[in-house]
Amino acid sequence: MDHSHIFIIVIELMGTIAFAISGAMVAVRCGMDLLGVIVLGVVTAVGGGMIRDIVLGNIPSALTDPIYVLTAVIVSVLVFLLVFFRRKILSDGFHPLYARLIEAMDALGLGIFSALGVLTGIRNGHLGNTFLLVFLGTMTGVGGGMLRDMMAQVPLQVLYKRIYACASIVGALSCTLLYPRFGEAVALFVPLFLVLIIRLLAAHYRWDLPRIPRE
Amino acid sequence: MDHSHIFIIVIELMGTIAFAISGAMVAVRCGMDLLGVIVLGVVTAVGGGMIRDIVLGNIPSALTDPIYVLTAVIVSVLVFLLVFFRRKILSDGFHPLYARLIEAMDALGLGIFSALGVLTGIRNGHLGNTFLLVFLGTMTGVGGGMLRDMMAQVPLQVLYKRIYACASIVGALSCTLLYPRFGEAVALFVPLFLVLIIRLLAAHYRWDLPRIPRE
Amino acid sequence: MDHSHIFIIVIELMGTIAFAISGAMVAVRCGMDLLGVIVLGVVTAVGGGMIRDIVLGNIPSALTDPIYVLTAVIVSVLVFLLVFFRRKILSDGFHPLYARLIEAMDALGLGIFSALGVLTGIRNGHLGNTFLLVFLGTMTGVGGGMLRDMMAQVPLQVLYKRIYACASIVGALSCTLLYPRFGEAVALFVPLFLVLIIRLLAAHYRWDLPRIPRE
């Protein structure tokens, strides 16, 4: 296993941890029990990558390499324990912090997986196909959170959140364009920061896309 | 590219447009912003075909050929702009028309994709397998709308609408039976009109299948 | 077709019937019409196996062999007719029985499909990969019910029910461990009874995993 491969795995584990936290916290919020929290954490963390691998016709890497699921399970259990024993504190005015933590973790996972989806597509020999790569990146980025929201039956972030899908597309597109000239590291970190900045600015300044009020 | 291939692409684009309109209008109704409208329009338009291609073990054609996604994006943006600038009008008594337009577009897409699903199955060498072809056609027909309703978290048409799945099955079955004797064109248009007629008659005469009232 | 193959098919049909009943009854409860009941019965019965086959890169066996879908259709129609003509009785105090029947059928299907998912993975040459096999078994076990709940838009059993996923994991793991030493029959029946016992004890004694109350 060469250096660049280890580097990718470390980044992928970071994304897994971020998405597992966001999934587990949504589950906690919905009043699920420990198993529910673990299931939702795992689905959020590995769901996007599984969709990507299935679309590419590969057996999902989450199934052949246990490390991602194990990481997501451990993280979900930790989140559960933390909230379980700190419930008191959480209910005494820390709610905005709580919501912000979900949002930050979600933005981090979104950035990491949007870029990793593109790189996986390139590794599968689709370097020339910009459109396919951007689609793969976006699907990997938003897929886990989409499954999370559909399973928890809360409004889908990708449909209602300020420029959520948009951030993922920008991340995937920049990764696709940067890779041929600057290589893997740049094609990973620039999109990652782009997505993070877009999401956090959007949340902070409450950027709104035009929207038609509900009838 | 031969004539028959162009012909299929034109029909497929018509289905894409019809489903993108229906998806975008559901999104507008749920109060989503521009990006949400685009995402739901695209998912509705290409979702059924993607499920079909994944089941067949192919990379989804929506990912290798950008024209379908691009069409769905443009249509969704147009729907959004139209509703955005005509909101006043829409809220002044045009609601029945609005609901009827979603229904008509949905019926058109249902007919087109039910037939195209069967033809794709035949192109993949499953001509003899009637059951598989009907299943593929139905899945392609109802898949996009199913994903749309699951993502928007509105009641699934395929589960609650008068003979919705039924129309799709009739379309797929007639396409399967007509193709060997009459070729592609007949196997496309007859099912298309059958589905349209069934759906519109069902809507007009409020045909009801037996139903057990909610407890 | 040898003996062991027929034996597997019989067990698979039992699981199909159990899950079709549970799916059809959820549909009846939600006030769906006959077609909706059939669609939900079929999805619940063949959904888990379809996800498993797609993950493994095979064309879903439910599509190549009509017997499973046909069985699910017939069972769903029977459930519908039974409830339709016995509505009176059902509404006069039989509700607990009704809920318990869904639960028992669901537990039976869960046990059967958790084990069958593992055996399918072994038949596809993944004997050595315990993690993959357990994941395949669990996905086959909980997948149909998950799709059912997502489509019917009721809270997902796998997320909220006492040790639901847990039972499936125990079933899949025991099947994986028993197969190499004791062969197919033991690897099917022991997990099946384990899952049934866990689920029924959990329901009876109202075993609860730790849970954080909804805010």
Side-chain angles (χ1 to χ4, degrees):
Chain A
M1 196 178 325
D2 58 310
H3 261 265
S4 112
H5 202 64
I6 292 173
F7 164 76
I8 292 275
I9 287 176
V10 170
I11 298 289
E12 194 149 23
L13 283 177
M14 277 178 54
T16 304
I17 291 170
F19 263 174
I21 292 176
S22 105
M25 290 183 92
V26 168
V28 163
R29 241 191 178 167
C30 291
M32 295 174 197
D33 65 16
L34 177 56
L35 245 300
V37 171
I38 293 173
V39 170
L40 210 61
V42 170
V43 166
T44 309
V46 307
M50 281 188 66
I51 296 176
R52 175 202 61 210
D53 292 341
I54 288 172
V55 163
L56 285 170
N58 302 329
I59 289 195
S61 60
L63 298 191
T64 51
D65 193 349
I67 193 167
Y68 304 108
V69 171
L70 284 183
T71 304
V73 169
I74 292 167
V75 168
S76 303
V77 171
L78 289 179
V79 167
F80 184 87
L81 291 178
L82 205 77
V83 179
F84 194 74
F85 290 111
R86 299 272 156 170
R87 201 177 346 160
K88 258 278 145 56
I89 294 169
L90 272 173
S91 58
D92 293 349
F94 273 92
H95 277 112
L97 184 73
Y98 185 92
R100 192 160 289 192
L101 184 59
I102 296 186
E103 202 151 273
M105 284 302 116
D106 203 79
L108 184 62
L110 188 69
I112 289 175
F113 283 117
S114 299
L116 283 177
V118 172
L119 295 181
T120 306
I122 291 172
R123 277 165 190 255
N124 276 264
H126 299 290
L127 181 54
N129 196 336
T130 305
F131 176 73
L132 174 62
L133 291 179
V134 173
F135 210 115
L136 283 175
T138 307
M139 221 149 53
T140 312
V142 306
M146 232 177 75
L147 287 176
R148 174 197 64 204
D149 296 341
M150 286 170 79
M151 287 178 68
Q153 290 161 345
V154 299
L156 275 70
Q157 294 226 38
V158 70
L159 294 178
Y160 290 99
K161 267 282 162 99
R162 282 177 292 280
I163 58 171
Y164 188 88
C166 201
S168 177
I169 292 170
V170 167
L173 186 59
S174 60
C175 178
T176 306
L177 299 178
L178 289 168
Y179 180 85
R181 200 168 302 183
F182 300 101
E184 218 161 62
V186 173
L188 236 170
F189 281 112
V190 174
L192 170 51
F193 285 111
L194 273 177
V195 173
L196 263 179
I197 288 166
I198 292 175
R199 289 288 306 133
L200 296 182
L201 285 178
H204 188 74
Y205 291 106
R206 308 195 142 269
W207 283 346
D208 261 321
L209 282 171
R211 174 190 307 257
I212 296 155
R214 220 177 225 281
E215 299 159 35
Chain B
M1 196 180 320
D2 59 310
H3 262 265
S4 111
H5 202 65
I6 293 172
F7 164 76
I8 292 275
I9 287 176
V10 169
I11 297 290
E12 194 149 22
L13 284 177
M14 277 179 54
T16 304
I17 292 170
F19 264 174
I21 292 176
S22 105
M25 290 184 92
V26 169
V28 162
R29 243 193 175 164
C30 291
M32 295 173 197
D33 65 16
L34 178 56
L35 244 300
V37 172
I38 293 174
V39 170
L40 210 61
V42 170
V43 166
T44 310
V46 308
M50 282 188 65
I51 295 176
R52 175 202 60 211
D53 292 341
I54 288 171
V55 163
L56 284 169
N58 302 329
I59 289 194
S61 59
L63 298 191
T64 50
D65 193 348
I67 192 167
Y68 304 107
V69 171
L70 285 183
T71 304
V73 169
I74 292 168
V75 168
S76 302
V77 171
L78 288 179
V79 167
F80 184 87
L81 291 178
L82 205 76
V83 180
F84 195 73
F85 290 111
R86 299 271 156 169
R87 201 182 343 163
K88 258 278 143 58
I89 295 171
L90 271 172
S91 58
D92 294 348
F94 273 90
H95 278 111
L97 184 74
Y98 185 92
R100 192 160 289 192
L101 183 59
I102 295 186
E103 202 151 273
M105 285 302 115
D106 203 79
L108 185 62
L110 189 69
I112 290 175
F113 283 117
S114 299
L116 282 176
V118 173
L119 295 181
T120 305
I122 292 172
R123 277 164 190 255
N124 276 263
H126 299 290
L127 181 54
N129 195 337
T130 305
F131 176 73
L132 173 62
L133 291 180
V134 173
F135 211 115
L136 284 175
T138 307
M139 221 150 51
T140 313
V142 307
M146 233 177 73
L147 287 177
R148 174 197 63 204
D149 296 341
M150 286 170 78
M151 288 179 67
Q153 290 161 343
V154 298
L156 274 71
Q157 294 226 38
V158 71
L159 295 178
Y160 291 99
K161 266 283 163 100
R162 282 178 291 280
I163 60 171
Y164 188 88
C166 201
S168 177
I169 292 170
V170 168
L173 186 59
S174 61
C175 178
T176 306
L177 299 178
L178 289 168
Y179 180 86
R181 202 169 300 182
F182 300 101
E184 217 161 64
V186 173
L188 236 169
F189 281 112
V190 174
L192 170 50
F193 285 111
L194 273 177
V195 172
L196 262 178
I197 288 167
I198 293 175
R199 288 288 306 132
L200 296 182
L201 284 178
H204 188 75
Y205 289 106
R206 308 194 143 270
W207 282 347
D208 261 321
L209 283 171
R211 174 191 307 256
I212 296 155
R214 219 178 226 281
E215 298 157 35
Chain C
M1 196 180 323
D2 59 310
H3 262 264
S4 112
H5 202 64
I6 292 173
F7 164 76
I8 293 275
I9 288 176
V10 170
I11 298 289
E12 193 150 23
L13 283 177
M14 277 179 54
T16 304
I17 291 169
F19 264 174
I21 292 176
S22 105
M25 290 183 93
V26 168
V28 162
R29 243 193 175 164
C30 292
M32 295 174 197
D33 65 16
L34 178 56
L35 246 300
V37 171
I38 293 173
V39 170
L40 210 62
V42 170
V43 166
T44 310
V46 307
M50 281 188 66
I51 295 176
R52 174 202 61 211
D53 292 340
I54 289 171
V55 163
L56 285 170
N58 302 329
I59 289 194
S61 59
L63 297 192
T64 51
D65 193 347
I67 193 167
Y68 304 108
V69 171
L70 284 183
T71 303
V73 168
I74 292 167
V75 168
S76 303
V77 171
L78 288 179
V79 167
F80 184 87
L81 292 178
L82 206 76
V83 179
F84 194 73
F85 290 111
R86 299 272 156 170
R87 200 180 343 160
K88 258 277 141 61
I89 295 169
L90 272 173
S91 57
D92 294 349
F94 272 92
H95 277 111
L97 184 74
Y98 185 92
R100 192 159 291 191
L101 184 59
I102 296 186
E103 203 151 273
M105 284 302 115
D106 203 79
L108 185 62
L110 189 69
I112 289 175
F113 283 118
S114 299
L116 283 177
V118 172
L119 295 182
T120 306
I122 291 172
R123 278 165 189 254
N124 276 264
H126 300 289
L127 182 53
N129 195 336
T130 305
F131 176 74
L132 173 62
L133 290 179
V134 173
F135 210 115
L136 284 175
T138 307
M139 221 150 52
T140 313
V142 307
M146 232 177 74
L147 287 176
R148 174 197 65 206
D149 296 340
M150 286 170 79
M151 287 179 68
Q153 291 160 344
V154 298
L156 274 71
Q157 295 226 38
V158 71
L159 294 179
Y160 291 99
K161 267 282 162 102
R162 283 176 293 281
I163 59 171
Y164 188 88
C166 201
S168 178
I169 292 170
V170 168
L173 186 60
S174 61
C175 178
T176 305
L177 299 177
L178 289 168
Y179 180 86
R181 201 168 300 183
F182 301 101
E184 217 161 64
V186 172
L188 236 169
F189 281 111
V190 174
L192 170 51
F193 285 111
L194 274 177
V195 172
L196 262 179
I197 288 167
I198 293 175
R199 288 290 304 135
L200 296 182
L201 284 178
H204 188 74
Y205 290 106
R206 309 195 143 270
W207 283 345
D208 262 320
L209 283 171
R211 173 191 308 257
I212 295 154
R214 218 176 227 282
E215 298 157 34

